[in-house]
Amino acid sequence: MIASVLVANRGEIACRIFRTCREAGIRTVAVHSDPDENALHARVADAAVRLPGAAPADTYLRGDLIVKAAVAAGADAVHPGYGFLSENAGFARAVQDAGLVWIGPPPEAIEAMASKTRAKELMGVAPLAGVTEADLPVLVKAAAGGGGRGMRVVRRLADLDAELSAARAEAASAFGDGEVFVEPYLENGRHVEVQILADTHGTVWALGTRDCSLQRRHQKVIEEAPAPGLAPGLTDELHDLAVRAARAVDYVGAGTVEFLVADGRAHFLEMNTRLQVEHPVTEAVFGIDLVALQLRIAEGHALENDPPRARGHAVEARLYAEDPARGWAPQTGRLHRLAVPDGIRLDTGCSDGDEIGVHYDPMLAKAVAHAPTRAEAVRRLAGALERSAIHGPVTNRDLLVRSLRHEEFTSGHMDTGFYDRHLTALTEPAPDPLAPLAAALADASARTGRFGGWRNLPSQPQVKRYAVEGEEHEVRYHHTRTGLTADGVRVIHADGDRVVLETDGVRRSFDIARYGDRVHVNATTLTALPRFPDPTARHAPGSLLAPMPGTVVRVAEGVTEGATVEAGRPLLWLEAMKMEHRITAPATGTLTALNAEPGRRVEVGTLLAVVEEHAD
């Protein structure tokens, strides 16, 4: 019997595994980097061990330090979670060599499937040996790891070498393995996967299907189970292929076999020898706890001959601290509040007041809805996200809500090109037009009280200015004998936390929360502007500012002050939250300033370069 488990991971997945361990009466041990010293996963564990440093390569990818931590803390088992070392056969062996229980598949199975190139060979699928014009478009893909890192779509042969180099660099940084390969890129297919679970007694379960087609940068955004609209014969084929893959490597534990479904056919992609981020939708549909089953399998227990029956439909949305309208740039800052309505499962590694930093993946939480039908589950999740209180950095919440309500998604006819087609429309600013007025009235009430601002003589209206979705809004209101008023709007109630307004006979309520100059009005976020703008807060035309906090990892060859650059040419790359972000020239012109060198840490708004556009 397992008595104590160290989770070799961080954030949401560590907290999720700890929850099951606590329910089972198992003691928990966390590991944490220096930036994660006060992270939620380190706080909720029974014990925590420091991994000195900040970068993953110095901390969560140091298997030797993690094994030492497990021994020092008295753990008798290690759960790898997902990402980091979860698919590292050497780490699995090191855990076992230390006399600890490895809550995962045998190292030999990891070796056979963790490398996507070897997995394809095992399943009879060969990567492209050489790329010609006829093969385009192609996908450059990291052999190790996942999460969209080390992946590039190449549509021009001339771009292949540069994209191979970029993918190798990103894969090496994220996974400690720079191996990449090239495969045909099948556009407009569906990403469908099968959850498997296998014990040491020869039983393998295929737990339905999941659809993960809504992706950005090859990283999943919305997932659901079961995959909608699959023909029964195709579902059976996917199950058979998944079980075949598991039996081919004598698999044990939880894993996922991924496919691209195109033209009614299943194309094998890879097998993930670990728990997936999207495992909660399978748990909801089958009424099981996959982590609890992982623990039982690691203890040697046998599965039932047949899995439980699937019931209903489940949908999961990944909430990220990022701005989809601005190139998915990661966001940082204090997460003041994160709360969803009752009836929604929320898996998170954050709590109110936590700081979102630059070192790791920007996912804040996963929200999951389960209902008897797909339509009900989708509606429930969209409504819950819309009503959630998410106060802090910019998030992708609005994108999630709009995606869930998009006709292509609600009809079940989406594919992996969904965001390529619809991102512009889905990220069009659509703030609540009454939000600035509600913010102004709440601020006025908090400052003056209900009658404190009233004057016995006619006076000019009070004016406040807010920035919403990049646009400035000016609000005018009056203090009167009966309270606050605004032209065309009846003010029913106003205090510092809540405002009720009536327009055209329709009454609406607004919950208000303010943190410094940021104001959250229901789902709309505003920035209170000073009464008089700062004339010094300007930059020269052509200035390139850091869109996020991060580190300059490289500068393009030949990019120096005085050089001529073409519009769209990559100038430098920032690394933030384990992803590389390319900074390109905004116009053809002369590079008159360059304030970036590899290794330099920058904050949001730091001036990186200036391109003076040529007059012609």
Side-chain angles (χ1 to χ4, degrees), residues 450-455 459 477-486:
R450 185 169 178 82
F451 298 105
W454 175 70
R455 296 178 177 85
S459 64
Y477 61 92
H478 291 267
H479 288 283
T480 70
R481 183 186 303 274
T482 57
L484 294 164
T485 66

Side-chain angles (χ1 to χ4, degrees), residues 528-612:
L529 298 176
R531 184 176 181 185
F532 301 105
D534 180 2
T536 66
R538 299 182 182 274
H539 290 281
S543 297
L544 293 172
L545 309 181
M548 70 208 74
T551 303
V552 178
V553 290
R554 52 197 172 105
V555 177
E557 185 176 353
V559 172
T560 58
E561 289 188 6
T564 297
V565 296
E566 295 181 357
R569 176 186 176 181
L571 303 180
L572 57 98
W573 286 262
L574 289 180
E575 183 178 70
M577 298 181 178
K578 300 192 292 185
M579 299 287 286
E580 284 194 359
H581 304 269
R582 180 163 42 190
I583 307 299
T584 60
T588 297
T590 301
L591 190 68
T592 59
L594 180 64
N595 303 318
E597 59 279 336
R600 182 188 176 191
R601 294 273 307 136
V602 297
E603 299 300 325
V604 173
T606 299
L607 180 66
L608 300 173
V610 178
V611 177
E612 185 176 312

Side-chain angles (χ1 to χ4, degrees), residues 181-270:
F181 65 96
V182 180
E183 66 182 9
Y185 181 57
L186 300 175
E187 300 191 80
N188 303 324
R190 289 177 59 186
H191 188 117
V192 178
E193 59 192 32
V194 177
Q195 174 73 56
I196 60 169
L197 197 66
D199 62 20
T200 57
H201 304 274
T203 299
V204 180
W205 285 357
L207 291 166
T209 57
R210 294 191 291 249
D211 190 296
C212 310
S213 297
L214 265 62
Q215 303 178 6
R216 55 82 161 160
R217 291 179 178 169
H218 313 289
Q219 188 162 345
K220 300 161 188 173
V221 177
I222 294 176
E223 304 102 343
E224 60 181 305
L230 295 183
L234 182 56
T235 299
D236 292 341
E237 179 187 353
L238 292 169
H239 287 178
D240 292 344
L241 288 170
V243 172
R244 174 184 142 200
R247 294 197 183 282
V249 294
D250 295 324
Y251 198 79
V252 174
T256 297
V257 185
E258 301 193 349
F259 303 89
L260 190 68
V261 173
D263 300 323
R265 298 172 53 208
H267 303 266
F268 173 79
L269 290 177
E270 60 186 288

